Amino acid sequence: MKNEFQKSNRVDMMINPANRVKSIQLSQIRKMFEVCSENAINLGIGEPDFDTPLHIRQAVIESLDEGFTHYTSNKGILELREAISKKLNAENNIQKDPESIIVTVGASEALYMCAQALINKGDDVLIPDPGFLAYDAVIKISEGNPIPIPLKMENDFRMSAEDVENKITSKTKAIILNSPSNPTGSVMNRAEIKKISKLAEDNNIFIISDEIYEKITYGTKHHSPGEFTDNAIVINGFSKTYAMTGFRVAYVAARDDIIEELLKIHQYNTACASSISQKAALAAIEGPQNCVDEMVGEFKRRRDLMVGRLNEMGWECKSPEGAFYTFPYVEDSQEFISKALENEVVAVSGKAFGKAGSEHVRMSYAASYLEIESAMDRLEKINI
Ligand SMILES: Cc1ncc(COP(=O)(O)O)c(C=O)c1O
């Protein structure tokens, strides 16, 4: 027998997914790959073209042979969290014991967890503009409001404490920092990070610090707000540093009361990161680091090639101090992107990363040196 509610004409109504998700776009970057032809050179992708170093792959084979294929503790295997704790202390001057660390399914999951655990409906979260696409999306999924902080090319796209201070209101709950930055490659300096950390403390604001490109710098050292304030939630991982994007492994470190809330999201979302990926991460963090130096050295060579060629062609391009992207000024990014595609080069419109990026394009130099050379030859044919 039908109840009153079922008898109503609800059956005629469309059943719709949640509005907060419907308002979000799928990644523009992924879309670009779908339209490009087989001969196209893809400078759109944000992942190193190197093979994962051998000793890391071997650790996975060993873990499989040992039958290490079951759930791990929710926070991740203790050995890995101990190694991360040591690393944070030695390299970042951050004191977090293994209990204050959660191993996550990529920095992507860590960002999602932070948004879910920290943001209430209607909270404002300051984000860099241009900035990584996921920031806007994860905040909206949590029904928060992303508030862009526009970054300027004349300041090398660096966020200053003054930029942050100007945007803080009573609704500001958190700020996302990303240094080195995707898409601009800018690296924030220590003094500015210290000032922003003080602002966060004075105004009771969380800092979500995405440090995934920490090791990919070309002379400028990375610094973390985790050194200065306990309001900082530090996100770092293995995807970019060790060419391990497919392993989906990263971590988050924060003070204990925040970790407890983050763990709830992690536990009910993924239970734990993949057991064998955690073993791979352990081999990466404890093993020889010369593989990282070699990759960064090669990125630098490619960066110099790309920046040099773009400037020669008249596309104004700063030499980025970190990550593996250039972000040249092209005036009309849409026109540039379509002309580049006609010449079989895939780049991403700066607009995808926020309004302040709309006159730029992002080109990744995680493609090979030879590919970059050919791509630049092809771009030389563009006339706008
Ligand atoms: C700034 C930034 N944060 C986070 C991520 C996600 O990294 P992961 O592969 O660890 O999920 C990316 C990937 O492109 C990124 O560029």
PDB file of all heavy atoms in Angstrom, residues 134-147:
ATOM      1  N   ALA A 134      41.749  21.749  -7.944  1.00  0.00           N
ATOM      2  CA  ALA A 134      41.017  21.013  -6.910  1.00  0.00           C
ATOM      3  C   ALA A 134      40.611  21.900  -5.733  1.00  0.00           C
ATOM      4  O   ALA A 134      39.643  21.598  -5.034  1.00  0.00           O
ATOM      5  CB  ALA A 134      41.870  19.849  -6.402  1.00  0.00           C
ATOM      6  N   TYR A 135      41.348  23.008  -5.500  1.00  0.00           N
ATOM      7  CA  TYR A 135      41.041  23.822  -4.320  1.00  0.00           C
ATOM      8  C   TYR A 135      39.601  24.337  -4.371  1.00  0.00           C
ATOM      9  O   TYR A 135      38.833  24.205  -3.426  1.00  0.00           O
ATOM     10  CB  TYR A 135      42.022  25.004  -4.193  1.00  0.00           C
ATOM     11  CG  TYR A 135      43.482  24.610  -4.139  1.00  0.00           C
ATOM     12  CD1 TYR A 135      44.478  25.448  -4.634  1.00  0.00           C
ATOM     13  CD2 TYR A 135      43.868  23.396  -3.598  1.00  0.00           C
ATOM     14  CE1 TYR A 135      45.815  25.091  -4.582  1.00  0.00           C
ATOM     15  CE2 TYR A 135      45.206  23.022  -3.553  1.00  0.00           C
ATOM     16  CZ  TYR A 135      46.171  23.881  -4.050  1.00  0.00           C
ATOM     17  OH  TYR A 135      47.491  23.509  -4.012  1.00  0.00           O
ATOM     18  N   ASP A 136      39.274  24.963  -5.482  1.00  0.00           N
ATOM     19  CA  ASP A 136      37.933  25.510  -5.668  1.00  0.00           C
ATOM     20  C   ASP A 136      36.881  24.403  -5.498  1.00  0.00           C
ATOM     21  O   ASP A 136      35.891  24.565  -4.792  1.00  0.00           O
ATOM     22  CB  ASP A 136      37.897  26.135  -7.078  1.00  0.00           C
ATOM     23  CG  ASP A 136      36.584  26.787  -7.405  1.00  0.00           C
ATOM     24  OD1 ASP A 136      36.423  27.968  -7.042  1.00  0.00           O
ATOM     25  OD2 ASP A 136      35.719  26.116  -8.007  1.00  0.00           O
ATOM     26  N   ALA A 137      37.149  23.261  -6.124  1.00  0.00           N
ATOM     27  CA  ALA A 137      36.162  22.171  -6.136  1.00  0.00           C
ATOM     28  C   ALA A 137      35.938  21.574  -4.745  1.00  0.00           C
ATOM     29  O   ALA A 137      34.793  21.400  -4.317  1.00  0.00           O
ATOM     30  CB  ALA A 137      36.605  21.083  -7.117  1.00  0.00           C
ATOM     31  N   VAL A 138      37.021  21.279  -4.018  1.00  0.00           N
ATOM     32  CA  VAL A 138      36.815  20.615  -2.716  1.00  0.00           C
ATOM     33  C   VAL A 138      36.124  21.555  -1.723  1.00  0.00           C
ATOM     34  O   VAL A 138      35.350  21.108  -0.871  1.00  0.00           O
ATOM     35  CB  VAL A 138      38.119  20.030  -2.091  1.00  0.00           C
ATOM     36  CG1 VAL A 138      38.671  18.896  -2.930  1.00  0.00           C
ATOM     37  CG2 VAL A 138      39.171  21.083  -1.820  1.00  0.00           C
ATOM     38  N   ILE A 139      36.388  22.849  -1.863  1.00  0.00           N
ATOM     39  CA  ILE A 139      35.726  23.816  -0.961  1.00  0.00           C
ATOM     40  C   ILE A 139      34.228  23.842  -1.279  1.00  0.00           C
ATOM     41  O   ILE A 139      33.385  23.821  -0.381  1.00  0.00           O
ATOM     42  CB  ILE A 139      36.354  25.221  -1.121  1.00  0.00           C
ATOM     43  CG1 ILE A 139      37.805  25.193  -0.644  1.00  0.00           C
ATOM     44  CG2 ILE A 139      35.549  26.275  -0.356  1.00  0.00           C
ATOM     45  CD1 ILE A 139      38.625  26.391  -1.079  1.00  0.00           C
ATOM     46  N   LYS A 140      33.905  23.860  -2.581  1.00  0.00           N
ATOM     47  CA  LYS A 140      32.480  23.895  -2.954  1.00  0.00           C
ATOM     48  C   LYS A 140      31.762  22.612  -2.533  1.00  0.00           C
ATOM     49  O   LYS A 140      30.605  22.655  -2.133  1.00  0.00           O
ATOM     50  CB  LYS A 140      32.347  24.122  -4.464  1.00  0.00           C
ATOM     51  CG  LYS A 140      32.636  25.572  -4.851  1.00  0.00           C
ATOM     52  CD  LYS A 140      32.491  25.767  -6.326  1.00  0.00           C
ATOM     53  CE  LYS A 140      32.745  27.207  -6.726  1.00  0.00           C
ATOM     54  NZ  LYS A 140      33.119  27.316  -8.145  1.00  0.00           N
ATOM     55  N   ILE A 141      32.442  21.480  -2.624  1.00  0.00           N
ATOM     56  CA  ILE A 141      31.803  20.221  -2.207  1.00  0.00           C
ATOM     57  C   ILE A 141      31.491  20.285  -0.703  1.00  0.00           C
ATOM     58  O   ILE A 141      30.531  19.678  -0.228  1.00  0.00           O
ATOM     59  CB  ILE A 141      32.671  18.992  -2.565  1.00  0.00           C
ATOM     60  CG1 ILE A 141      32.792  18.858  -4.085  1.00  0.00           C
ATOM     61  CG2 ILE A 141      32.084  17.699  -1.992  1.00  0.00           C
ATOM     62  CD1 ILE A 141      33.760  17.788  -4.570  1.00  0.00           C
ATOM     63  N   SER A 142      32.293  21.041   0.031  1.00  0.00           N
ATOM     64  CA  SER A 142      32.023  21.208   1.470  1.00  0.00           C
ATOM     65  C   SER A 142      31.073  22.369   1.740  1.00  0.00           C
ATOM     66  O   SER A 142      30.901  22.771   2.901  1.00  0.00           O
ATOM     67  CB  SER A 142      33.326  21.478   2.221  1.00  0.00           C
ATOM     68  OG  SER A 142      34.181  20.395   2.078  1.00  0.00           O
ATOM     69  N   GLU A 143      30.524  22.951   0.677  1.00  0.00           N
ATOM     70  CA  GLU A 143      29.590  24.082   0.767  1.00  0.00           C
ATOM     71  C   GLU A 143      30.226  25.326   1.382  1.00  0.00           C
ATOM     72  O   GLU A 143      29.574  26.141   2.027  1.00  0.00           O
ATOM     73  CB  GLU A 143      28.305  23.682   1.493  1.00  0.00           C
ATOM     74  CG  GLU A 143      27.588  22.558   0.740  1.00  0.00           C
ATOM     75  CD  GLU A 143      26.190  22.297   1.276  1.00  0.00           C
ATOM     76  OE1 GLU A 143      26.059  21.504   2.211  1.00  0.00           O
ATOM     77  OE2 GLU A 143      25.254  22.891   0.726  1.00  0.00           O
ATOM     78  N   GLY A 144      31.543  25.441   1.200  1.00  0.00           N
ATOM     79  CA  GLY A 144      32.238  26.670   1.583  1.00  0.00           C
ATOM     80  C   GLY A 144      32.356  27.580   0.369  1.00  0.00           C
ATOM     81  O   GLY A 144      31.972  27.204  -0.747  1.00  0.00           O
ATOM     82  N   ASN A 145      32.897  28.798   0.607  1.00  0.00           N
ATOM     83  CA  ASN A 145      33.079  29.742  -0.508  1.00  0.00           C
ATOM     84  C   ASN A 145      34.562  29.940  -0.783  1.00  0.00           C
ATOM     85  O   ASN A 145      35.265  30.477   0.080  1.00  0.00           O
ATOM     86  CB  ASN A 145      32.508  31.128  -0.152  1.00  0.00           C
ATOM     87  CG  ASN A 145      31.089  31.039   0.331  1.00  0.00           C
ATOM     88  OD1 ASN A 145      30.260  30.371  -0.288  1.00  0.00           O
ATOM     89  ND2 ASN A 145      30.804  31.685   1.448  1.00  0.00           N
ATOM     90  N   PRO A 146      35.016  29.537  -1.976  1.00  0.00           N
ATOM     91  CA  PRO A 146      36.414  29.833  -2.312  1.00  0.00           C
ATOM     92  C   PRO A 146      36.569  31.334  -2.590  1.00  0.00           C
ATOM     93  O   PRO A 146      35.787  31.890  -3.364  1.00  0.00           O
ATOM     94  CB  PRO A 146      36.664  29.028  -3.588  1.00  0.00           C
ATOM     95  CG  PRO A 146      35.380  28.349  -3.924  1.00  0.00           C
ATOM     96  CD  PRO A 146      34.301  28.845  -3.039  1.00  0.00           C
ATOM     97  N   ILE A 147      37.516  31.984  -1.930  1.00  0.00           N
ATOM     98  CA  ILE A 147      37.754  33.419  -2.146  1.00  0.00           C
ATOM     99  C   ILE A 147      39.139  33.566  -2.775  1.00  0.00           C
ATOM    100  O   ILE A 147      40.159  33.326  -2.108  1.00  0.00           O
ATOM    101  CB  ILE A 147      37.724  34.212  -0.805  1.00  0.00           C
ATOM    102  CG1 ILE A 147      36.443  33.926  -0.021  1.00  0.00           C
ATOM    103  CG2 ILE A 147      37.937  35.716  -1.045  1.00  0.00           C
ATOM    104  CD1 ILE A 147      35.166  34.479  -0.616  1.00  0.00           C
TER     105      ILE A 147
END
